[in-house]
Amino acid sequence: MTQSRPRIPEATVARLAVYLRVLTGLAGGGRSTVSSGELASAAGVNPAGLRKDLSHLGPCGVRGVGYDVATLRDRIARVLGVEQSRACVLVGIGNLGTALADYAGFGSRGFRFVGLFDAAPARVGQRIGGQPVRPMAELDEVVAATAATIGVIATPAEVAQPVCDRLTTAGVRSILNFAPVALAAPPEVDVRQVDLSVELQVLAFLGQQRSDAAGSLEVLA
Amino acid sequence: MTQSRPRIPEATVARLAVYLRVLTGLAGGGRSTVSSGELASAAGVNPAGLRKDLSHLGPCGVRGVGYDVATLRDRIARVLGVEQSRACVLVGIGNLGTALADYAGFGSRGFRFVGLFDAAPARVGQRIGGQPVRPMAELDEVVAATAATIGVIATPAEVAQPVCDRLTTAGVRSILNFAPVALAAPPEVDVRQVDLSVELQVLAFLGQQRSDAAGSLEVLA
DNA sequence: AACCGCTTGTGAACGCAGGAACAAAGTCGC
DNA sequence: GCGACTTTGTTCCTGCGTTCACAAGCGGTT
């Protein structure tokens, strides 16, 4: 019963990733300590919530002083598993796929793309960020050879499900899906959905709601 | 007191956008009615939750039959404000910005980009999706002329805050930020943050946690 | 050595989201 | 025309996430 992993809530994990980014920036700037208030402000969250998030890692601050930047950064990095670089494959090298493959932010966060795949013969062979685009036929081979556990789908919606199936049979355990469809996958595979236009629609709705409230117009059917 | 807007929860709004997408697809396929179970399955949510979400719009289904696809689609579209096309400006035409500008999904969801901006002279003048990239100097002019209320930031993190400031002073009311920094903005401006690598890190953490639990290895400091 | 101010860590209350179960209501079959 | 089935809309409940507020602890100062 080594209950040393007290089930960190998912919302906390997402914020820990943000704290890690801020702390890395602070360490680069030469700061040695931060208070919870300052760190919370930089991360855009509530100070009390930040302290509660950090409490899941055990005591890691000094009362009256704050947190040691480098120590906290390393601790979060270890919990998040950033120390070991994770192999990812990316399917769908369109505009979005190219942006993801080129995004420098992934490399510094413990991710490396070990395979870029596209079904279009015209794209195969192009080099993105120093890597060649491969045909889908090589997917299983690359996943097996690199032990990649994470797959990213940036294809059109129509082919996302078959791509998801191929990734799961190839042995991928976690999938990040940018295509605007709900994917069906076996229960042992985690699927996370990111829909860019949903974010935009929520934003538009909030803005509309607020302007309605401000004008208090009766615009109804 | 036209309290006909009973404050729809934000989580529900996000799901309504998903339902709208599914319903549009069903309508295109010629379907006339759907049950909550089928719609929930296609959207990847629980049927009971879907019905609860829809109950915020008032009764809009027929018991024993289901929902009329076209009627429900139009109703959600009206609540979300998709009927009127919303003008957006996009700053930062790198890989991600190009992907966003080209993404056809926005146009069909009631958004149109009325201005693409970049600070790099080399990018100004390029045409993306039939539109020219403009210099930052024209930002205020375009926002004023088109009454754009939404701004999208796809710049490097270092310049995201100044860009945010320029957008707010130009009159933009809502901002969708893809740069990995927390933005400071006046309270009357809504800011929504999307961090692609945070999603990936959460996914990696969940996968790591599960494999730790499966092997029940004692890997601790 | 003792005091004081500052900051963390934790405990409790509040509000919200999610899920299951049940009643209302409408349609189809006889 | 009536009964049974199907599906919605609602209600309750459980659990989680977030926030506020306070006690504990450490460093610096006198």
Side-chain angles (χ1 to χ4, degrees):
Chain A
M1 281 300 177
T2 49
Q3 191 67 17
S4 71
R5 312 258 177 175
R7 296 181 203 87
I8 302 180
E10 189 171 314
T12 294
V13 173
R15 283 189 296 266
L16 284 177
V18 177
Y19 306 154
L20 178 58
R21 188 217 309 143
V22 175
L23 286 167
T24 304
L26 287 173
R31 280 291 293 274
S32 59
T33 59
V34 260
S35 67
S36 64
E38 192 178 358
L39 190 54
S41 162
V45 301
N46 186 296
L50 182 140
R51 290 199 298 272
K52 178 157 290 213
D53 286 338
L54 262 44
S55 74
H56 288 108
L57 317 179
C60 44
V62 180
R63 298 173 190 236
V65 178
Y67 300 93
D68 182 79
V69 172
T71 304
L72 185 56
R73 165 173 56 85
D74 295 343
R75 193 154 192 176
I76 295 178
R78 192 172 58 232
V79 170
L80 258 44
V82 178
E83 7 175 53
Q84 54 182 346
S85 169
R86 297 177 178 279
C88 311
V89 293
L90 171 59
V91 182
I93 315 297
N95 285 307
L96 179 58
T98 305
L100 294 172
D102 257 344
Y103 181 38
F106 290 134
S108 60
R109 312 269 195 94
F111 301 99
R112 62 177 200 281
F113 286 114
V114 297
L116 313 178
F117 298 91
D118 202 296
R123 289 229 176 79
V124 173
Q126 290 181 0
R127 296 191 79 85
I128 312 281
Q131 246 185 109
V133 177
R134 302 168 186 273
M136 288 296 289
E138 297 179 11
L139 180 64
D140 299 77
E141 178 190 341
V142 170
V143 171
T146 60
T149 55
I150 298 178
V152 180
I153 299 179
T155 67
E158 302 81 54
V159 299
Q161 183 62 58
V163 166
C164 171
D165 297 341
R166 287 216 50 183
L167 285 169
T168 56
T169 58
V172 165
R173 306 295 299 272
S174 307
I175 292 178
L176 184 60
N177 177 36
F178 286 93
V181 279
L183 294 180
E188 72 271 14
V189 175
D190 277 335
V191 176
R192 252 182 114 75
Q193 178 79 27
V194 178
D195 192 324
L196 303 180
S197 63
V198 164
E199 295 295 327
L200 204 51
Q201 277 190 339
V202 172
L203 196 62
F205 176 81
L206 295 176
Q208 162 189 280
Q209 191 174 246
R210 199 187 36 205
S211 53
D212 283 1
S216 73
L217 309 166
E218 42 266 29
V219 280
L220 39 95
Chain B
M1 280 296 180
T2 51
Q3 189 68 16
S4 71
R5 312 258 177 177
R7 295 181 201 89
I8 302 180
E10 191 171 313
T12 293
V13 173
R15 283 188 297 264
L16 284 178
V18 177
Y19 306 154
L20 178 59
R21 188 218 305 144
V22 176
L23 287 167
T24 304
L26 287 173
R31 280 292 294 274
S32 59
T33 60
V34 261
S35 67
S36 65
E38 193 178 358
L39 190 54
S41 162
V45 300
N46 185 293
L50 181 140
R51 291 200 295 274
K52 178 171 291 194
D53 287 338
L54 262 42
S55 74
H56 287 109
L57 317 178
C60 44
V62 179
R63 297 174 191 234
V65 178
Y67 300 93
D68 182 79
V69 171
T71 305
L72 185 57
R73 165 173 55 86
D74 295 344
R75 193 154 191 174
I76 294 179
R78 191 171 60 233
V79 170
L80 258 45
V82 179
E83 14 175 45
Q84 52 182 348
S85 171
R86 298 179 176 279
C88 312
V89 293
L90 173 59
V91 182
I93 316 295
N95 285 307
L96 179 59
T98 305
L100 294 172
D102 256 346
Y103 181 37
F106 290 135
S108 60
R109 312 267 196 97
F111 300 99
R112 63 177 199 282
F113 286 114
V114 297
L116 313 179
F117 299 89
D118 202 296
R123 290 230 176 80
V124 173
Q126 289 182 356
R127 297 190 79 84
I128 312 283
Q131 244 184 110
V133 177
R134 303 167 185 275
M136 287 298 289
E138 298 179 10
L139 180 65
D140 298 77
E141 177 190 340
V142 169
V143 170
T146 61
T149 55
I150 298 179
V152 180
I153 300 180
T155 66
E158 303 81 54
V159 299
Q161 184 61 59
V163 166
C164 172
D165 297 341
R166 288 217 49 186
L167 284 169
T168 56
T169 58
V172 164
R173 307 293 299 273
S174 306
I175 291 177
L176 184 61
N177 177 36
F178 287 91
V181 278
L183 294 180
E188 72 271 14
V189 174
D190 277 333
V191 176
R192 250 181 117 74
Q193 178 80 25
V194 178
D195 192 323
L196 302 181
S197 62
V198 165
E199 296 294 329
L200 205 51
Q201 275 190 341
V202 172
L203 196 62
F205 176 81
L206 294 177
Q208 162 188 281
Q209 194 175 43
R210 200 187 36 204
S211 53
D212 282 1
S216 73
L217 310 165
E218 40 268 28
V219 282
L220 40 96

